[in-house]
Amino acid sequence: MNNMINFYLKRLFQEKISMKSIRLLFFLTSIELFIMACAADVIPLSQPASTPVDMIPEIMPRISLPTQIPSLVPFQQTPETTISPEWVSDFSDPILVSLVGRRPDFQDDFSLLNRGWFYDVAGSAVGPYYAHIQDGGLILRLPEGKERSDSMVYNPTLNRRNFVLSFEVKFGETQPNDFMRFQFSPTADQNFSLELSKNKKWIFRWVFNNDWKSISGTYDQFPPERINILFIVQDGRCAVYLNHTPLDYSNKCISASPLKPSLRAVAFHLIADPDHTAIVNIDNVKMWDLDAAPYFPPHP
């Protein structure tokens, strides 16, 4: 800017001074004075002598740490994939699918009167007697005694040749070795049964033409939840489910020919040692007769 002013001053002396040149000189001089005044007013930035503590957040120094790769911990372990036995898809699945939406041919939640449940007293010519129903369940009870006892309850209405039977079991006042048995005995030389003990063991037995076979294992149970049991019997083949899971299968558990089972062919047993009282509760019994015409209730 100074060089420009000096340039115009030199011209003023060399050339004839005119009013227009004077005005130009005055304008340039004013600009230079204004710039110098602004430069003088600039105050360098500086930190205040003291700053209130609450106005500046405390900043922790960064500490350089070695990079670490975290180990992957699953939220919930995935159980191993269980492959269903071949008999599930070949035998039981088609039957169970056919029952979807079909009304049971017999069902009892034990909320009403006795629907044909009886028991006998060993060595007594009197009977049968009506079984004990209490608190919405069928009660099998054994009092404390001197000998190992077997309490049996049966219902002739459940006698079928081909059927699906579902029910629930709950152990009451029992000891670990006490067990409940469901048994189907159409004739003297053929039957099958499932035994569940309170110590979470099971045994599936069947006999055909006096050929006895059995298989055993353990099961999970979380009181007070009930144990669900389901049997499928068709054309001499039998399948058993425990808590909605396939348990076992026999392709020849009873005769495939028509049978005339006895009144006590379908029965529930409670077997216990004599030194204590034992109780088992049976509930939600449902039976579908696979030889009967199916009935599907209309949708509301």
Side-chain angles (χ1 to χ4, degrees), residues 167-181:
F167 59 92
E168 296 176 349
V169 176
K170 181 180 178 181
F171 287 98
E173 184 181 350
T174 53
Q175 295 299 318
N177 292 327
D178 299 343
F179 62 90
M180 184 281 311
R181 176 197 297 155

Side-chain angles (χ1 to χ4, degrees), residues 210-225:
N210 295 317
D211 181 18
W212 288 86
K213 296 181 180 180
S214 67
I215 188 171
S216 60
T218 59
Y219 68 95
D220 292 328
Q221 196 249 343
F222 305 96
E225 294 183 6

